[in-house]
mmCIF file of all heavy atoms in Angstrom:
data_model
loop_
_atom_site.group_PDB
_atom_site.id
_atom_site.type_symbol
_atom_site.label_atom_id
_atom_site.label_comp_id
_atom_site.label_asym_id
_atom_site.label_seq_id
_atom_site.Cartn_x
_atom_site.Cartn_y
_atom_site.Cartn_z
ATOM 1 N N THR A 1 27.313 -193.250 -69.082
ATOM 2 C CA THR A 1 27.122 -191.994 -68.358
ATOM 3 C C THR A 1 25.654 -191.873 -67.976
ATOM 4 O O THR A 1 24.771 -191.969 -68.831
ATOM 5 C CB THR A 1 27.525 -190.785 -69.211
ATOM 6 O OG1 THR A 1 26.899 -190.868 -70.505
ATOM 7 C CG2 THR A 1 29.036 -190.718 -69.384
ATOM 8 N N ILE A 2 25.412 -191.672 -66.681
ATOM 9 C CA ILE A 2 24.050 -191.528 -66.166
ATOM 10 C C ILE A 2 23.930 -190.147 -65.567
ATOM 11 O O ILE A 2 24.496 -189.853 -64.525
ATOM 12 C CB ILE A 2 23.716 -192.590 -65.099
ATOM 13 C CG1 ILE A 2 24.066 -193.993 -65.597
ATOM 14 C CG2 ILE A 2 22.247 -192.511 -64.718
ATOM 15 C CD1 ILE A 2 25.241 -194.626 -64.885
ATOM 16 N N GLY A 3 23.224 -189.257 -66.242
ATOM 17 C CA GLY A 3 23.128 -187.879 -65.791
ATOM 18 C C GLY A 3 22.030 -187.683 -64.765
ATOM 19 O O GLY A 3 20.947 -188.253 -64.881
ATOM 20 N N GLU A 4 22.328 -186.856 -63.761
ATOM 21 C CA GLU A 4 21.298 -186.429 -62.808
ATOM 22 C C GLU A 4 20.616 -185.208 -63.414
ATOM 23 O O GLU A 4 21.144 -184.104 -63.386
ATOM 24 C CB GLU A 4 21.938 -186.089 -61.459
ATOM 25 C CG GLU A 4 20.920 -185.647 -60.419
ATOM 26 C CD GLU A 4 21.561 -185.032 -59.187
ATOM 27 O OE1 GLU A 4 22.675 -184.468 -59.301
ATOM 28 O OE2 GLU A 4 20.952 -185.100 -58.112
ATOM 29 N N LEU A 5 19.419 -185.425 -63.963
ATOM 30 C CA LEU A 5 18.765 -184.387 -64.767
ATOM 31 C C LEU A 5 17.581 -183.810 -63.993
ATOM 32 O O LEU A 5 16.502 -184.403 -63.963
ATOM 33 C CB LEU A 5 18.300 -184.970 -66.102
ATOM 34 C CG LEU A 5 17.875 -183.943 -67.140
ATOM 35 C CD1 LEU A 5 19.089 -183.246 -67.736
ATOM 36 C CD2 LEU A 5 17.068 -184.603 -68.252
ATOM 37 N N ALA A 6 17.783 -182.654 -63.396
ATOM 38 C CA ALA A 6 16.716 -182.016 -62.628
ATOM 39 C C ALA A 6 15.949 -181.025 -63.484
ATOM 40 O O ALA A 6 16.464 -180.502 -64.482
ATOM 41 C CB ALA A 6 17.320 -181.285 -61.428
ATOM 42 N N ASN A 7 14.696 -180.778 -63.107
ATOM 43 C CA ASN A 7 13.906 -179.678 -63.668
ATOM 44 C C ASN A 7 13.849 -179.693 -65.181
ATOM 45 O O ASN A 7 14.005 -178.659 -65.845
ATOM 46 C CB ASN A 7 14.469 -178.341 -63.177
ATOM 47 C CG ASN A 7 14.577 -178.279 -61.664
ATOM 48 O OD1 ASN A 7 15.677 -178.340 -61.114
ATOM 49 N ND2 ASN A 7 13.445 -178.220 -60.988
ATOM 50 N N THR A 8 13.604 -180.886 -65.725
ATOM 51 C CA THR A 8 13.453 -181.038 -67.171
ATOM 52 C C THR A 8 12.233 -181.926 -67.431
ATOM 53 O O THR A 8 12.356 -183.111 -67.726
ATOM 54 C CB THR A 8 14.721 -181.652 -67.790
ATOM 55 O OG1 THR A 8 15.867 -180.939 -67.313
ATOM 56 C CG2 THR A 8 14.698 -181.575 -69.307
ATOM 57 N N PRO A 9 11.033 -181.354 -67.286
ATOM 58 C CA PRO A 9 9.820 -182.179 -67.341
ATOM 59 C C PRO A 9 9.382 -182.598 -68.736
ATOM 60 O O PRO A 9 8.570 -183.516 -68.871
ATOM 61 C CB PRO A 9 8.767 -181.269 -66.697
ATOM 62 C CG PRO A 9 9.251 -179.880 -66.974
ATOM 63 C CD PRO A 9 10.749 -179.953 -66.918
ATOM 64 N N ASP A 10 9.911 -181.945 -69.775
ATOM 65 C CA ASP A 10 9.471 -182.216 -71.143
ATOM 66 C C ASP A 10 10.268 -183.383 -71.729
ATOM 67 O O ASP A 10 11.479 -183.262 -71.923
ATOM 68 C CB ASP A 10 9.662 -180.954 -71.990
ATOM 69 C CG ASP A 10 9.174 -181.126 -73.422
ATOM 70 O OD1 ASP A 10 8.829 -182.265 -73.806
ATOM 71 O OD2 ASP A 10 9.173 -180.127 -74.167
ATOM 72 N N PRO A 11 9.623 -184.518 -72.030
ATOM 73 C CA PRO A 11 10.357 -185.669 -72.579
ATOM 74 C C PRO A 11 11.140 -185.353 -73.845
ATOM 75 O O PRO A 11 12.215 -185.915 -74.071
ATOM 76 C CB PRO A 11 9.251 -186.689 -72.847
ATOM 77 C CG PRO A 11 8.176 -186.354 -71.862
ATOM 78 C CD PRO A 11 8.210 -184.847 -71.766
ATOM 79 N N SER A 12 10.645 -184.449 -74.688
ATOM 80 C CA SER A 12 11.366 -184.135 -75.917
ATOM 81 C C SER A 12 12.703 -183.470 -75.603
ATOM 82 O O SER A 12 13.688 -183.661 -76.320
ATOM 83 C CB SER A 12 10.518 -183.230 -76.823
ATOM 84 O OG SER A 12 10.304 -181.957 -76.231
ATOM 85 N N ARG A 13 12.756 -182.712 -74.525
ATOM 86 C CA ARG A 13 14.020 -182.098 -74.115
ATOM 87 C C ARG A 13 14.955 -183.142 -73.502
ATOM 88 O O ARG A 13 16.175 -183.061 -73.660
ATOM 89 C CB ARG A 13 13.768 -180.964 -73.119
ATOM 90 C CG ARG A 13 12.990 -179.796 -73.694
ATOM 91 C CD ARG A 13 13.053 -178.580 -72.784
ATOM 92 N NE ARG A 13 14.373 -177.960 -72.797
ATOM 93 C CZ ARG A 13 14.692 -176.886 -72.074
ATOM 94 N NH1 ARG A 13 13.779 -176.327 -71.294
ATOM 95 N NH2 ARG A 13 15.911 -176.379 -72.128
ATOM 96 N N VAL A 14 14.379 -184.103 -72.810
ATOM 97 C CA VAL A 14 15.200 -185.169 -72.232
ATOM 98 C C VAL A 14 15.826 -186.008 -73.330
ATOM 99 O O VAL A 14 16.998 -186.426 -73.230
ATOM 100 C CB VAL A 14 14.361 -186.041 -71.287
ATOM 101 C CG1 VAL A 14 15.184 -187.212 -70.756
ATOM 102 C CG2 VAL A 14 13.826 -185.205 -70.122
ATOM 103 N N LEU A 15 15.087 -186.251 -74.409
ATOM 104 C CA LEU A 15 15.627 -187.042 -75.521
ATOM 105 C C LEU A 15 16.833 -186.368 -76.159
ATOM 106 O O LEU A 15 17.677 -187.051 -76.745
ATOM 107 C CB LEU A 15 14.535 -187.293 -76.566
ATOM 108 C CG LEU A 15 13.533 -188.395 -76.211
ATOM 109 C CD1 LEU A 15 12.357 -188.379 -77.174
ATOM 110 C CD2 LEU A 15 14.208 -189.764 -76.213
ATOM 111 N N LYS A 16 16.943 -185.058 -76.031
ATOM 112 C CA LYS A 16 18.139 -184.369 -76.534
ATOM 113 C C LYS A 16 19.387 -184.822 -75.775
ATOM 114 O O LYS A 16 20.499 -184.778 -76.302
ATOM 115 C CB LYS A 16 17.969 -182.849 -76.400
ATOM 116 C CG LYS A 16 16.939 -182.243 -77.322
ATOM 117 C CD LYS A 16 17.433 -182.194 -78.758
ATOM 118 C CE LYS A 16 18.548 -181.175 -78.925
ATOM 119 N NZ LYS A 16 19.030 -181.093 -80.325
ATOM 120 N N TYR A 17 19.191 -185.253 -74.530
ATOM 121 C CA TYR A 17 20.313 -185.726 -73.711
ATOM 122 C C TYR A 17 20.603 -187.210 -73.933
ATOM 123 O O TYR A 17 21.765 -187.629 -73.882
ATOM 124 C CB TYR A 17 20.024 -185.508 -72.230
ATOM 125 C CG TYR A 17 20.054 -184.075 -71.771
ATOM 126 C CD1 TYR A 17 18.886 -183.317 -71.690
ATOM 127 C CD2 TYR A 17 21.247 -183.473 -71.381
ATOM 128 C CE1 TYR A 17 18.909 -182.006 -71.236
ATOM 129 C CE2 TYR A 17 21.277 -182.156 -70.929
ATOM 130 C CZ TYR A 17 20.109 -181.430 -70.859
ATOM 131 O OH TYR A 17 20.145 -180.122 -70.414
ATOM 132 N N VAL A 18 19.567 -188.031 -74.126
ATOM 133 C CA VAL A 18 19.748 -189.490 -74.090
ATOM 134 C C VAL A 18 19.555 -190.187 -75.426
ATOM 135 O O VAL A 18 19.762 -191.397 -75.520
ATOM 136 C CB VAL A 18 18.814 -190.136 -73.037
ATOM 137 C CG1 VAL A 18 19.079 -189.557 -71.664
ATOM 138 C CG2 VAL A 18 17.332 -189.982 -73.421
ATOM 139 N N GLY A 19 19.152 -189.485 -76.470
ATOM 140 C CA GLY A 19 19.055 -190.124 -77.774
ATOM 141 C C GLY A 19 20.431 -190.582 -78.237
ATOM 142 O O GLY A 19 21.399 -189.818 -78.186
ATOM 143 N N ALA A 20 20.542 -191.831 -78.668
ATOM 144 C CA ALA A 20 21.848 -192.354 -79.078
ATOM 145 C C ALA A 20 22.468 -191.510 -80.188
ATOM 146 O O ALA A 20 23.684 -191.303 -80.225
ATOM 147 C CB ALA A 20 21.703 -193.806 -79.531
ATOM 148 N N SER A 21 21.640 -191.003 -81.075
ATOM 149 C CA SER A 21 22.142 -190.200 -82.195
ATOM 150 C C SER A 21 22.637 -188.826 -81.756
ATOM 151 O O SER A 21 23.319 -188.138 -82.522
ATOM 152 C CB SER A 21 21.047 -190.032 -83.246
ATOM 153 O OG SER A 21 19.877 -189.460 -82.676
ATOM 154 N N GLU A 22 22.295 -188.418 -80.533
ATOM 155 C CA GLU A 22 22.732 -187.107 -80.036
ATOM 156 C C GLU A 22 24.170 -187.135 -79.524
ATOM 157 O O GLU A 22 24.802 -186.090 -79.345
ATOM 158 C CB GLU A 22 21.799 -186.624 -78.913
ATOM 159 C CG GLU A 22 20.346 -186.474 -79.304
ATOM 160 C CD GLU A 22 20.115 -185.290 -80.231
ATOM 161 O OE1 GLU A 22 21.024 -184.441 -80.374
ATOM 162 O OE2 GLU A 22 19.024 -185.218 -80.833
ATOM 163 N N ASN A 23 24.691 -188.341 -79.204
ATOM 164 C CA ASN A 23 26.065 -188.476 -78.695
ATOM 165 C C ASN A 23 26.314 -187.602 -77.462
ATOM 166 O O ASN A 23 27.241 -186.794 -77.420
ATOM 167 C CB ASN A 23 27.084 -188.154 -79.784
ATOM 168 C CG ASN A 23 27.099 -189.206 -80.876
ATOM 169 O OD1 ASN A 23 26.769 -190.364 -80.642
ATOM 170 N ND2 ASN A 23 27.474 -188.795 -82.070
ATOM 171 N N GLN A 24 25.466 -187.809 -76.434
ATOM 172 C CA GLN A 24 25.640 -187.034 -75.209
ATOM 173 C C GLN A 24 25.698 -187.959 -73.984
ATOM 174 O O GLN A 24 26.780 -188.235 -73.486
ATOM 175 C CB GLN A 24 24.534 -185.983 -75.082
ATOM 176 C CG GLN A 24 24.653 -184.910 -76.167
ATOM 177 C CD GLN A 24 23.732 -183.733 -75.973
ATOM 178 O OE1 GLN A 24 23.428 -183.327 -74.867
ATOM 179 N NE2 GLN A 24 23.272 -183.163 -77.088
ATOM 180 N N LEU A 25 24.560 -188.441 -73.494
ATOM 181 C CA LEU A 25 24.525 -189.283 -72.300
ATOM 182 C C LEU A 25 23.886 -190.628 -72.617
ATOM 183 O O LEU A 25 23.051 -190.744 -73.522
ATOM 184 C CB LEU A 25 23.721 -188.613 -71.183
ATOM 185 C CG LEU A 25 24.254 -187.274 -70.669
ATOM 186 C CD1 LEU A 25 23.190 -186.583 -69.818
ATOM 187 C CD2 LEU A 25 25.532 -187.477 -69.863
ATOM 188 N N SER A 26 24.270 -191.658 -71.847
ATOM 189 C CA SER A 26 23.655 -192.973 -72.025
ATOM 190 C C SER A 26 22.213 -192.956 -71.546
ATOM 191 O O SER A 26 21.317 -193.544 -72.166
ATOM 192 C CB SER A 26 24.425 -194.035 -71.233
ATOM 193 O OG SER A 26 25.795 -194.007 -71.514
ATOM 194 N N MET A 27 21.978 -192.280 -70.428
ATOM 195 C CA MET A 27 20.654 -192.244 -69.794
ATOM 196 C C MET A 27 20.691 -191.178 -68.722
ATOM 197 O O MET A 27 21.757 -190.641 -68.393
ATOM 198 C CB MET A 27 20.302 -193.606 -69.198
ATOM 199 C CG MET A 27 21.282 -194.076 -68.153
ATOM 200 S SD MET A 27 21.032 -195.798 -67.626
ATOM 201 C CE MET A 27 22.524 -196.574 -68.255
ATOM 202 N N VAL A 28 19.533 -190.861 -68.162
ATOM 203 C CA VAL A 28 19.479 -189.890 -67.068
ATOM 204 C C VAL A 28 18.530 -190.381 -65.988
ATOM 205 O O VAL A 28 17.669 -191.229 -66.215
ATOM 206 C CB VAL A 28 19.012 -188.492 -67.544
ATOM 207 C CG1 VAL A 28 20.008 -187.886 -68.518
ATOM 208 C CG2 VAL A 28 17.613 -188.547 -68.144
ATOM 209 N N PHE A 29 18.727 -189.839 -64.796
ATOM 210 C CA PHE A 29 17.761 -190.012 -63.715
ATOM 211 C C PHE A 29 16.715 -188.910 -63.824
ATOM 212 O O PHE A 29 17.046 -187.719 -63.809
ATOM 213 C CB PHE A 29 18.438 -189.891 -62.347
ATOM 214 C CG PHE A 29 19.350 -191.027 -61.999
ATOM 215 C CD1 PHE A 29 20.651 -190.787 -61.602
ATOM 216 C CD2 PHE A 29 18.902 -192.334 -62.045
ATOM 217 C CE1 PHE A 29 21.499 -191.823 -61.266
ATOM 218 C CE2 PHE A 29 19.741 -193.382 -61.719
ATOM 219 C CZ PHE A 29 21.038 -193.133 -61.320
ATOM 220 N N HIS A 30 15.452 -189.305 -63.929
ATOM 221 C CA HIS A 30 14.339 -188.365 -63.840
ATOM 222 C C HIS A 30 13.988 -188.298 -62.357
ATOM 223 O O HIS A 30 13.558 -189.291 -61.765
ATOM 224 C CB HIS A 30 13.162 -188.856 -64.672
ATOM 225 C CG HIS A 30 13.586 -189.421 -65.997
ATOM 226 N ND1 HIS A 30 13.983 -188.621 -67.046
ATOM 227 C CD2 HIS A 30 13.731 -190.692 -66.424
ATOM 228 C CE1 HIS A 30 14.331 -189.385 -68.063
ATOM 229 N NE2 HIS A 30 14.192 -190.641 -67.709
ATOM 230 N N LEU A 31 14.143 -187.167 -61.741
ATOM 231 C CA LEU A 31 14.094 -187.083 -60.284
ATOM 232 C C LEU A 31 12.681 -186.970 -59.718
ATOM 233 O O LEU A 31 12.506 -186.890 -58.504
ATOM 234 C CB LEU A 31 14.937 -185.886 -59.820
ATOM 235 C CG LEU A 31 16.407 -185.917 -60.264
ATOM 236 C CD1 LEU A 31 17.151 -184.707 -59.705
ATOM 237 C CD2 LEU A 31 17.094 -187.209 -59.820
ATOM 238 N N ASP A 32 11.682 -186.979 -60.598
ATOM 239 C CA ASP A 32 10.306 -186.778 -60.137
ATOM 240 C C ASP A 32 9.892 -187.769 -59.055
ATOM 241 O O ASP A 32 9.229 -187.403 -58.084
ATOM 242 C CB ASP A 32 9.320 -186.908 -61.311
ATOM 243 C CG ASP A 32 9.622 -185.961 -62.448
ATOM 244 O OD1 ASP A 32 10.723 -185.402 -62.467
ATOM 245 O OD2 ASP A 32 8.760 -185.783 -63.316
ATOM 246 N N ILE A 33 10.265 -189.025 -59.208
ATOM 247 C CA ILE A 33 9.811 -190.018 -58.241
ATOM 248 C C ILE A 33 10.441 -189.766 -56.875
ATOM 249 O O ILE A 33 9.834 -190.010 -55.834
ATOM 250 C CB ILE A 33 10.080 -191.448 -58.739
ATOM 251 C CG1 ILE A 33 9.155 -192.433 -58.020
ATOM 252 C CG2 ILE A 33 11.548 -191.860 -58.587
ATOM 253 C CD1 ILE A 33 8.941 -193.732 -58.753
ATOM 254 N N GLY A 34 11.660 -189.235 -56.868
ATOM 255 C CA GLY A 34 12.290 -188.890 -55.609
ATOM 256 C C GLY A 34 11.665 -187.680 -54.943
ATOM 257 O O GLY A 34 11.844 -187.460 -53.737
ATOM 258 N N HIS A 35 10.934 -186.884 -55.715
ATOM 259 C CA HIS A 35 10.310 -185.669 -55.183
ATOM 260 C C HIS A 35 8.890 -185.898 -54.695
ATOM 261 O O HIS A 35 8.262 -184.949 -54.197
ATOM 262 C CB HIS A 35 10.316 -184.577 -56.251
ATOM 263 C CG HIS A 35 11.689 -184.085 -56.580
ATOM 264 N ND1 HIS A 35 11.970 -183.379 -57.735
ATOM 265 C CD2 HIS A 35 12.872 -184.201 -55.922
ATOM 266 C CE1 HIS A 35 13.263 -183.079 -57.766
ATOM 267 N NE2 HIS A 35 13.829 -183.574 -56.676
ATOM 268 N N ILE A 36 8.378 -187.107 -54.832
ATOM 269 C CA ILE A 36 7.019 -187.381 -54.357
ATOM 270 C C ILE A 36 6.932 -187.063 -52.859
ATOM 271 O O ILE A 36 7.756 -187.510 -52.066
ATOM 272 C CB ILE A 36 6.624 -188.845 -54.619
ATOM 273 C CG1 ILE A 36 6.418 -189.079 -56.120
ATOM 274 C CG2 ILE A 36 5.359 -189.217 -53.860
ATOM 275 C CD1 ILE A 36 6.128 -190.520 -56.485
ATOM 276 N N GLY A 37 5.930 -186.289 -52.497
ATOM 277 C CA GLY A 37 5.727 -185.916 -51.092
ATOM 278 C C GLY A 37 6.421 -184.631 -50.705
ATOM 279 O O GLY A 37 6.173 -184.099 -49.613
ATOM 280 N N MET A 38 7.317 -184.124 -51.558
ATOM 281 C CA MET A 38 8.017 -182.873 -51.244
ATOM 282 C C MET A 38 7.159 -181.675 -51.634
ATOM 283 O O MET A 38 6.229 -181.782 -52.431
ATOM 284 C CB MET A 38 9.351 -182.813 -51.996
ATOM 285 C CG MET A 38 10.393 -183.779 -51.470
ATOM 286 S SD MET A 38 11.977 -183.607 -52.349
ATOM 287 C CE MET A 38 13.015 -184.678 -51.331
ATOM 288 N N GLY A 39 7.515 -180.517 -51.085
ATOM 289 C CA GLY A 39 6.824 -179.291 -51.439
ATOM 290 C C GLY A 39 7.044 -178.932 -52.893
ATOM 291 O O GLY A 39 7.971 -179.420 -53.549
ATOM 292 N N ASN A 40 6.205 -178.044 -53.394
ATOM 293 C CA ASN A 40 6.224 -177.719 -54.819
ATOM 294 C C ASN A 40 7.290 -176.706 -55.198
ATOM 295 O O ASN A 40 7.513 -176.457 -56.379
ATOM 296 C CB ASN A 40 4.848 -177.194 -55.244
ATOM 297 C CG ASN A 40 3.778 -178.267 -55.142
ATOM 298 O OD1 ASN A 40 4.039 -179.431 -55.411
ATOM 299 N ND2 ASN A 40 2.581 -177.872 -54.739
ATOM 300 N N SER A 41 7.936 -176.088 -54.228
ATOM 301 C CA SER A 41 8.959 -175.088 -54.529
ATOM 302 C C SER A 41 10.221 -175.401 -53.744
ATOM 303 O O SER A 41 10.199 -176.183 -52.788
ATOM 304 C CB SER A 41 8.450 -173.689 -54.161
ATOM 305 O OG SER A 41 8.183 -173.615 -52.768
ATOM 306 N N LEU A 42 11.318 -174.759 -54.117
ATOM 307 C CA LEU A 42 12.588 -175.026 -53.465
ATOM 308 C C LEU A 42 12.525 -174.682 -51.986
ATOM 309 O O LEU A 42 13.021 -175.432 -51.136
ATOM 310 C CB LEU A 42 13.693 -174.218 -54.155
ATOM 311 C CG LEU A 42 15.132 -174.597 -53.823
ATOM 312 C CD1 LEU A 42 15.404 -176.055 -54.154
ATOM 313 C CD2 LEU A 42 16.101 -173.697 -54.590
ATOM 314 N N GLU A 43 11.887 -173.559 -51.639
ATOM 315 C CA GLU A 43 11.844 -173.169 -50.237
ATOM 316 C C GLU A 43 10.962 -174.095 -49.393
ATOM 317 O O GLU A 43 11.145 -174.198 -48.178
ATOM 318 C CB GLU A 43 11.391 -171.709 -50.083
ATOM 319 C CG GLU A 43 10.009 -171.391 -50.611
ATOM 320 C CD GLU A 43 10.040 -170.920 -52.062
ATOM 321 O OE1 GLU A 43 10.812 -171.464 -52.867
ATOM 322 O OE2 GLU A 43 9.259 -170.008 -52.392
ATOM 323 N N ASP A 44 10.024 -174.786 -50.032
ATOM 324 C CA ASP A 44 9.134 -175.699 -49.297
ATOM 325 C C ASP A 44 9.467 -177.170 -49.552
ATOM 326 O O ASP A 44 8.642 -178.050 -49.322
ATOM 327 C CB ASP A 44 7.670 -175.439 -49.688
ATOM 328 C CG ASP A 44 7.134 -174.156 -49.066
ATOM 329 O OD1 ASP A 44 7.756 -173.669 -48.102
ATOM 330 O OD2 ASP A 44 6.115 -173.645 -49.548
ATOM 331 N N LYS A 45 10.673 -177.431 -50.009
ATOM 332 C CA LYS A 45 11.062 -178.786 -50.371
ATOM 333 C C LYS A 45 10.775 -179.793 -49.266
ATOM 334 O O LYS A 45 10.291 -180.900 -49.515
ATOM 335 C CB LYS A 45 12.553 -178.814 -50.723
ATOM 336 C CG LYS A 45 13.092 -180.181 -51.094
ATOM 337 C CD LYS A 45 14.552 -180.110 -51.507
ATOM 338 C CE LYS A 45 15.106 -181.475 -51.880
ATOM 339 N NZ LYS A 45 16.523 -181.416 -52.313
ATOM 340 N N TYR A 46 11.071 -179.446 -48.019
ATOM 341 C CA TYR A 46 10.916 -180.396 -46.921
ATOM 342 C C TYR A 46 9.638 -180.187 -46.113
ATOM 343 O O TYR A 46 9.543 -180.624 -44.970
ATOM 344 C CB TYR A 46 12.151 -180.362 -46.024
ATOM 345 C CG TYR A 46 13.334 -181.034 -46.695
ATOM 346 C CD1 TYR A 46 14.430 -180.295 -47.133
ATOM 347 C CD2 TYR A 46 13.336 -182.403 -46.927
ATOM 348 C CE1 TYR A 46 15.500 -180.909 -47.770
ATOM 349 C CE2 TYR A 46 14.394 -183.017 -47.566
ATOM 350 C CZ TYR A 46 15.476 -182.269 -47.982
ATOM 351 O OH TYR A 46 16.526 -182.888 -48.621
ATOM 352 N N ILE A 47 8.648 -179.554 -46.721
ATOM 353 C CA ILE A 47 7.300 -179.547 -46.149
ATOM 354 C C ILE A 47 6.575 -180.739 -46.760
ATOM 355 O O ILE A 47 6.275 -180.757 -47.948
ATOM 356 C CB ILE A 47 6.550 -178.241 -46.475
ATOM 357 C CG1 ILE A 47 7.317 -177.022 -45.963
ATOM 358 C CG2 ILE A 47 5.142 -178.298 -45.887
ATOM 359 C CD1 ILE A 47 7.434 -176.912 -44.463
#
């Protein structure tokens, strides 16, 4: 299971999803790299 994990910048919170001992997800996509060059807010995403 590969989760699309948006708006979760804290690695410790991400580990709650992907730690093997947590029994939740195999891994997640950190979307930050896809957001490079985008605006800093939802309304300015495509600026």
